[in-house]
Amino acid sequence: MAVLIDIDDAEDPRLSDYRDLRDVQLRKNLEAEHGLFLAEGEKVVRRALETGFPARSFLMAPRWLDGLADVLATSDAPCYVMPESLAEQVTGFHVHRGALASLERRPLPSVESVLAGARTVVVLEDIVDHTNVGAIFRSAAALGVDAVLLAPRCADPLYRRSVKVAMGAVFTVPYARLEDWYDALPQVSAAGFTTVALTLADDAREIEQAVAGLDRVALVLGSEGHGLSPRWEQSADRRAVIPMREGIDSLNVAAATAVACYLTMRR
Amino acid sequence: MAVLIDIDDAEDPRLSDYRDLRDVQLRKNLEAEHGLFLAEGEKVVRRALETGFPARSFLMAPRWLDGLADVLATSDAPCYVMPESLAEQVTGFHVHRGALASLERRPLPSVESVLAGARTVVVLEDIVDHTNVGAIFRSAAALGVDAVLLAPRCADPLYRRSVKVAMGAVFTVPYARLEDWYDALPQVSAAGFTTVALTLADDAREIEQAVAGLDRVALVLGSEGHGLSPRWEQSADRRAVIPMREGIDSLNVAAATAVACYLTMRR
């Protein structure tokens, strides 16, 4: 059972995991150094614990204790209890959903182990927006994608904003970090997948045709701004496009992923 | 040619259109009273002007003047020029993309005029999140949807956040506000559309089957939290589902809209 600890001082050193949540750079450093990540909201906190991430601590206002009592019963971590106004001072923002947890990261699995047994995976190049990463994981989970691979510069799925937007899908969809950017797609092809790059390239086929009849497929998506790098575009086995109205900017990458995953799952 | 006016005082009364942009309730009231809305970022400001919205004024740091010179040349509105730090004091947030414009709203067209000539439309019930509304407009534009109808409580597509996420698609996709919530869908049916509600109801068919062979289609989507109201679910002509993996929460409404629009456009 988590030990409840009443807190009345925003400067209490035990709260260091929860400081300045709106400062992305500071959080990145802090979370990497201490191997932690944050979950926000009753539902997401619950899912993090249920999927086996050990809690370092909890932070919440008194009114959230009852709803999470069963979760707190399973953990020995301290639970810092404080008024919402104090929580806002610590975190630097209004904690809409009341409950926070600081959790321990686990070592990521290898690319090979994530690909073994998978039939449909998504490969993300440099998606730097945490909201988009979270949205992609949510869609991937809902539509039944088996795993996600991330390029070295792709944003962290366990950053608070990604976790929140994904509604916890980052806990359930296996993912791994690619170490070698240049040969990442040949590596996936060598593992038995046909890599299909979403692109506006001239030789791109309509996505439904591009994936028709394929066995193992890796859908490859690039950054919000510029799309895939030339290297990834050219080192993919196939190039595919989602047909769009003339003269319109492309779909948002999260929307494009949802459409592409749906069609690929039904190939 | 817009008149450039150097500003050195954050309290200058001429800046009232740009105050406290992070205060949603205050902005809603201010924008409704004055019939204005804001566009943010060079690209979105440009699109707003190009699609015919008259500017009330512009606000930007000096370094944005060159890039928007051609746009400013077409307007007689004042352009308030100030350092980014002063812009931040006025608006209450860091203006990442540098340029803002305050624009005049136009009267919305009627539901009848928006439906006339349309073959595929999206009908949104109570989508209250501005990001989702913006994302839906962006996908609708990219995939070729003809128009959007909004329930009385659906969030404003011209709210700053919606405009930004939509990348200006709210300027180009025609939309109208439904006045009668209760009989909204029968009204759309009476105009010659088959209304297809996205839902998890027991009698929902897979979306591809539900829209196959239909002429005029109105895709109906509900709120982020609870989905469609029972009234809308039952008063739609058909109920449809996007097949998902067992035990997973639904797709985000913007992702679901992208998938449903894609499939409906290719019916």
Side-chain angles (χ1 to χ4, degrees):
Chain A
M1 171 68 199
V3 181
L4 306 187
I5 301 173
D6 286 316
I7 300 277
D8 57 11
D9 175 7
E11 300 300 319
D12 192 310
R14 292 172 292 187
L15 306 180
S16 61
D17 284 6
Y18 301 97
R19 297 229 177 274
D20 302 317
L21 297 189
R22 296 186 60 182
D23 185 331
V24 176
Q25 199 52 53
L26 181 145
R27 293 300 307 181
K28 279 185 186 170
N29 296 341
L30 185 147
E31 296 186 7
E33 271 175 27
H34 297 282
L36 65 88
F37 70 98
L38 289 196
E40 183 183 355
E42 179 184 340
K43 199 175 203 175
V44 174
V45 167
R46 178 181 299 279
R47 288 192 181 164
L49 274 285
E50 284 174 356
T51 47
F53 287 94
R56 290 161 58 94
S57 64
F58 303 89
L59 184 159
M60 62 191 72
R63 68 187 175 103
W64 296 97
L65 288 170
D66 278 355
L68 280 166
D70 58 320
V71 174
L72 294 172
T74 67
S75 173
D76 294 325
C79 178
Y80 305 119
V81 183
M82 65 190 70
E84 269 144 4
S85 56
L86 199 63
E88 188 169 339
Q89 279 181 54
V90 174
T91 61
F93 77 113
H94 181 61
V95 184
H96 293 284
R97 296 181 189 186
L100 291 167
S102 174
L103 300 131
E104 285 177 26
R105 288 172 186 254
R106 295 183 293 211
L108 285 185
S110 67
V111 170
E112 294 69 28
S113 71
V114 156
L115 291 180
R119 186 166 179 264
T120 308
V121 303
V122 167
V123 189
L124 304 180
E125 201 181 12
D126 298 350
I127 314 277
V128 296
D129 181 280
H130 293 107
T131 300
N132 282 335
V133 170
I136 288 170
F137 269 82
R138 183 171 173 186
S139 291
L143 295 169
V145 167
D146 298 310
V148 177
L149 298 179
L150 310 174
R153 283 189 294 270
C154 187
D156 177 13
L158 289 184
Y159 191 77
R160 179 178 60 92
R161 178 83 194 144
S162 309
V163 172
K164 185 176 175 181
V165 171
M167 297 293 289
V170 290
F171 308 142
T172 54
V173 179
Y175 70 91
R177 183 73 70 170
L178 293 153
E179 289 182 12
D180 177 1
W181 167 78
Y182 189 83
D183 277 327
L185 298 191
Q187 179 188 359
V188 175
S189 299
F193 289 78
T194 303
T195 54
V196 180
L198 267 283
T199 156
L200 301 173
D202 288 340
D203 65 344
R205 282 184 275 176
E206 289 197 11
I207 173 81
E208 285 182 79
Q209 296 164 22
V211 299
L214 291 178
D215 181 18
R216 302 174 85 189
V217 174
L219 278 175
V220 184
L221 292 114
S223 85
E224 299 84 2
H226 303 285
L228 288 169
S229 66
R231 168 63 189 167
W232 275 39
E233 193 167 87
Q234 288 311 314
S235 60
D237 297 314
R238 300 184 181 188
R239 280 151 292 284
V241 66
I242 297 172
M244 277 176 264
R245 179 177 280 188
E246 290 282 331
I248 291 285
D249 270 348
S250 60
L251 284 164
N252 160 275
V253 68
T257 304
V259 172
C261 287
Y262 177 89
L263 297 172
T264 301
M265 292 306 294
R266 298 173 77 83
R267 63 190 179 272
Chain B
M1 172 71 198
V3 181
L4 306 185
I5 301 172
D6 286 316
I7 300 278
D8 57 12
D9 175 9
E11 301 300 319
D12 193 309
R14 290 173 292 187
L15 305 180
S16 61
D17 284 5
Y18 301 96
R19 297 227 178 274
D20 301 318
L21 297 188
R22 296 186 60 182
D23 185 331
V24 176
Q25 199 51 55
L26 179 145
R27 294 298 309 181
K28 278 186 188 169
N29 296 341
L30 183 148
E31 296 186 7
E33 269 174 28
H34 296 283
L36 66 89
F37 70 98
L38 288 198
E40 182 183 356
E42 179 184 340
K43 198 175 204 176
V44 174
V45 167
R46 178 182 300 279
R47 288 193 181 165
L49 274 286
E50 283 174 357
T51 47
F53 287 94
R56 290 162 57 94
S57 64
F58 303 88
L59 183 159
M60 63 190 73
R63 68 186 175 105
W64 296 97
L65 289 170
D66 277 356
L68 280 165
D70 59 319
V71 175
L72 295 172
T74 66
S75 174
D76 295 326
C79 177
Y80 305 119
V81 183
M82 65 190 72
E84 270 146 3
S85 56
L86 198 64
E88 189 169 338
Q89 280 181 53
V90 174
T91 61
F93 76 116
H94 181 61
V95 183
H96 294 282
R97 298 184 187 182
L100 292 166
S102 173
L103 301 131
E104 285 176 26
R105 288 173 186 253
R106 295 183 295 211
L108 285 184
S110 67
V111 171
E112 293 69 26
S113 70
V114 156
L115 291 179
R119 183 164 181 264
T120 307
V121 303
V122 166
V123 189
L124 303 179
E125 200 182 11
D126 298 349
I127 314 277
V128 295
D129 181 279
H130 291 107
T131 300
N132 282 335
V133 169
I136 288 170
F137 269 81
R138 183 170 173 187
S139 291
L143 294 169
V145 167
D146 298 311
V148 176
L149 299 178
L150 310 173
R153 283 188 294 268
C154 187
D156 177 13
L158 290 184
Y159 190 77
R160 180 178 60 92
R161 178 85 193 143
S162 309
V163 171
K164 185 176 175 181
V165 171
M167 296 293 289
V170 291
F171 308 142
T172 53
V173 178
Y175 69 91
R177 185 71 72 172
L178 293 152
E179 289 181 12
D180 177 1
W181 166 79
Y182 189 83
D183 277 325
L185 297 191
Q187 179 189 359
V188 176
S189 299
F193 289 78
T194 303
T195 55
V196 179
L198 266 284
T199 153
L200 301 172
D202 288 340
D203 65 345
R205 281 184 276 175
E206 289 197 9
I207 172 82
E208 286 182 79
Q209 297 165 22
V211 298
L214 290 178
D215 181 17
R216 303 175 85 189
V217 173
L219 278 175
V220 184
L221 292 113
S223 85
E224 298 84 3
H226 304 285
L228 288 169
S229 66
R231 168 62 189 168
W232 274 40
E233 192 168 86
Q234 288 311 314
S235 60
D237 297 314
R238 300 183 181 187
R239 279 151 293 284
V241 68
I242 297 173
M244 277 176 265
R245 178 177 280 187
E246 290 281 330
I248 291 286
D249 271 348
S250 61
L251 283 165
N252 159 275
V253 68
T257 305
V259 173
C261 286
Y262 177 88
L263 298 172
T264 302
M265 291 307 294
R266 297 173 76 82
R267 65 188 178 271

